[in-house]
Amino acid sequence: MSASSFLKALKAEGLTVVEVGDWRDHNRNHKGAWGPVHGVMIHHTVTRGSARTVDICRKGYAGLPGPLCHGVVTKDGRVHLVGYGRANHAGLGDDDVLRAVIAEKALPRDNEANTDGNRHFYGFECENLGDGDDPWPAAQLEAIERAAAAVCRHHGWNERSVIGHLEWQPGKVDPRGFTMTSMRERIRDRLK
């Protein structure tokens, strides 16, 4: 999907989208291929404050240059586009999980980190401290659901093409505060 198609798909799903800087050309493609893309990965940011969160996800930080995702879903339910192409969000993960995503089957337990996820996943970072106490407003959860559904709808994927970082890479806990099972159910219902 082109950057323009990505934007169009998100808006068609009813999302409020904020375009940040040169997001269409902001990527890490010089570090490796982006694609074939097979799914959507959901993260939490461990940050507070929408402006700060979007800035970090766009620019990155020492040791991890941005963009750190394609879209940032803030507490108010807006999706801020910060990059398009390869982004530093997924890291190395389990090849068995990737095969399950491609086949749209139940996920196995992630027990190894041997496959480049930055190549194969769209990434949405979601503003949240990730401590299990920071709330997930209804508008934000609905925006996560809509954003993931928009990408799935464009590609003809079902809800099993959407995973959490914690399902991809051993030791990761994000997103914390809702289950990916419940989010996939929401996405499934939206895609019907």
Side-chain angles (χ1 to χ4, degrees):
M1 148 166 61
S2 68
S4 294
S5 296
F6 183 54
L7 175 62
K8 184 177 178 182
L10 294 172
K11 287 184 174 181
E13 207 65 44
L15 288 159
T16 300
V17 180
V18 179
E19 299 181 68
V20 182
D22 63 344
W23 72 272
R24 293 168 189 262
D25 300 310
H26 186 51
N27 57 57
R28 304 285 298 158
N29 290 357
H30 64 284
K31 290 294 185 181
W34 189 51
V37 184
H38 297 295
V40 178
M41 191 173 295
I42 307 299
H43 307 264
H44 65 235
T45 58
V46 194
T47 59
R48 175 176 285 144
S50 296
R52 178 174 176 266
T53 297
V54 170
D55 191 58
I56 289 170
C57 289
R58 184 178 187 286
K59 295 177 183 171
Y61 50 87
L64 192 65
L68 304 184
C69 59
H70 300 97
V72 182
V73 183
T74 50
K75 295 260 188 193
D76 60 7
R78 294 186 298 163
V79 178
H80 303 255
L81 300 183
V82 298
Y84 200 73
R86 186 180 177 90
N88 275 335
H89 73 97
L92 293 176
D94 194 314
D95 60 337
D96 295 324
V97 172
L98 180 61
R99 280 191 286 279
V101 168
I102 292 168
E104 296 183 318
K105 300 205 182 263
L107 298 176
R109 181 177 166 88
D110 58 322
N111 62 5
E112 55 192 350
N114 60 5
T115 301
D116 176 10
N118 295 333
R119 176 179 186 166
H120 296 295
F121 289 94
Y122 294 91
F124 289 97
E125 287 280 358
C126 307
E127 177 191 354
N128 193 278
L129 292 175
D131 59 5
D133 293 323
D134 191 14
W136 291 92
Q140 187 179 29
L141 290 171
E142 183 176 331
I144 296 165
E145 168 195 327
R146 286 176 183 264
V151 175
C152 289
R153 194 180 308 283
H154 176 88
H155 287 285
W157 298 335
N158 72 29
E159 74 281 357
R160 290 183 184 246
S161 294
V162 182
I163 66 172
H165 200 191
L166 76 169
E167 296 171 308
W168 171 247
Q169 190 177 75
K172 294 296 181 180
V173 299
D174 57 314
R176 182 182 282 166
F178 64 88
T179 68
M180 286 307 301
T181 298
S182 67
M183 183 54 68
R184 279 189 287 270
E185 288 170 358
R186 293 175 65 141
I187 294 162
R188 179 199 62 216
D189 292 346
R190 177 163 294 281
L191 290 171
K192 284 183 178 173

Coordinates of all heavy atoms in Angstrom, one line a residue, residues 6 54 56 78-79 86 100 109 115 129 137 139 151 162 183 192:
F6 N -2.5 4.4 2.5 CA -2.5 4.2 4.0 C -3.4 5.3 4.6 O -4.3 5.1 5.4 CB -1.1 4.3 4.5 CG -0.9 4.0 6.0 CD1 -1.4 2.9 6.6 CD2 -0.1 4.9 6.7 CE1 -1.1 2.7 8.0 CE2 0.1 4.7 8.0 CZ -0.4 3.6 8.7
V54 N 4.4 11.8 20.5 CA 4.5 11.9 19.1 C 5.9 12.3 18.7 O 6.5 11.7 17.8 CB 3.5 12.9 18.5 CG1 3.7 13.1 17.0 CG2 2.1 12.3 18.7
I56 N 8.8 11.8 20.3 CA 9.7 10.7 20.5 C 9.5 9.6 19.5 O 10.5 9.1 18.9 CB 9.5 10.1 21.9 CG1 10.1 11.0 23.0 CG2 10.2 8.7 22.1 CD1 9.7 10.6 24.4
R78 N -6.8 10.2 18.4 CA -6.2 10.6 17.1 C -5.0 9.8 16.7 O -4.3 9.3 17.6 CB -5.8 12.1 17.1 CG -7.0 13.1 17.3 CD -6.6 14.5 17.2 NE -5.6 14.8 18.3 CZ -4.8 15.9 18.3 NH1 -4.9 16.8 17.3 NH2 -4.0 16.1 19.3
V79 N -4.8 9.6 15.4 CA -3.7 8.8 14.9 C -2.7 9.8 14.2 O -3.1 10.5 13.3 CB -4.1 7.7 13.9 CG1 -2.9 7.0 13.3 CG2 -5.1 6.8 14.6
R86 N 10.1 1.3 6.4 CA 10.7 0.6 7.5 C 10.8 1.5 8.8 O 11.2 2.6 8.7 CB 12.1 0.1 7.1 CG 12.7 -0.8 8.1 CD 14.1 -1.2 7.6 NE 14.8 -2.0 8.6 CZ 14.7 -3.3 8.7 NH1 14.0 -4.0 7.8 NH2 15.4 -4.0 9.6
A100 N 2.4 -17.9 11.6 CA 1.0 -18.0 12.0 C 0.3 -16.7 11.6 O -0.9 -16.8 11.1 CB 1.0 -18.1 13.5
R109 N 3.5 -19.7 21.1 CA 4.2 -18.9 22.1 C 5.5 -18.4 21.5 O 6.2 -19.2 20.8 CB 4.5 -19.8 23.3 CG 5.2 -19.0 24.4 CD 5.4 -20.0 25.6 NE 6.4 -19.4 26.5 CZ 6.1 -18.6 27.5 NH1 4.8 -18.2 27.7 NH2 7.0 -18.1 28.3
T115 N 13.9 -13.3 13.6 CA 13.3 -12.7 12.4 C 13.1 -11.2 12.5 O 12.6 -10.8 13.5 CB 12.0 -13.5 12.1 OG1 12.2 -14.9 11.9 CG2 11.3 -13.0 10.8
L129 N 1.5 4.6 29.8 CA 2.7 4.3 30.6 C 3.0 2.9 30.6 O 4.1 2.5 31.0 CB 2.4 4.9 32.0 CG 2.4 6.4 32.2 CD1 2.0 6.8 33.6 CD2 3.7 7.0 31.7
P137 N -8.5 5.2 27.5 CA -9.8 5.7 27.2 C -10.5 5.0 26.1 O -9.8 4.5 25.2 CB -9.4 7.2 26.8 CG -8.1 7.5 27.4 CD -7.4 6.1 27.4
A139 N -12.0 6.2 23.6 CA -11.7 6.8 22.3 C -10.4 6.2 21.7 O -10.2 6.0 20.5 CB -11.6 8.3 22.4
V151 N -6.0 -1.2 8.0 CA -4.9 -1.9 7.3 C -5.3 -3.3 6.9 O -5.1 -3.7 5.7 CB -3.6 -1.9 8.2 CG1 -2.5 -2.7 7.5 CG2 -3.1 -0.5 8.5
V162 N -3.2 -9.2 13.3 CA -2.9 -8.1 14.3 C -2.4 -8.7 15.5 O -3.0 -9.6 16.1 CB -4.1 -7.2 14.6 CG1 -3.8 -6.1 15.6 CG2 -4.8 -6.7 13.3
M183 N -8.8 -7.2 21.8 CA -8.7 -6.3 20.6 C -8.9 -7.0 19.3 O -9.6 -6.4 18.4 CB -7.3 -5.6 20.7 CG -7.1 -4.6 19.6 SD -8.3 -3.2 19.5 CE -7.9 -2.4 21.1
K192 N -16.5 -7.2 9.9 CA -17.7 -8.0 9.3 C -18.6 -7.1 8.5 O -18.9 -6.0 8.8 CB -18.5 -8.6 10.5 CG -17.9 -9.8 11.1 CD -18.7 -10.4 12.1 CE -18.1 -11.6 12.7 NZ -18.8 -12.2 13.8

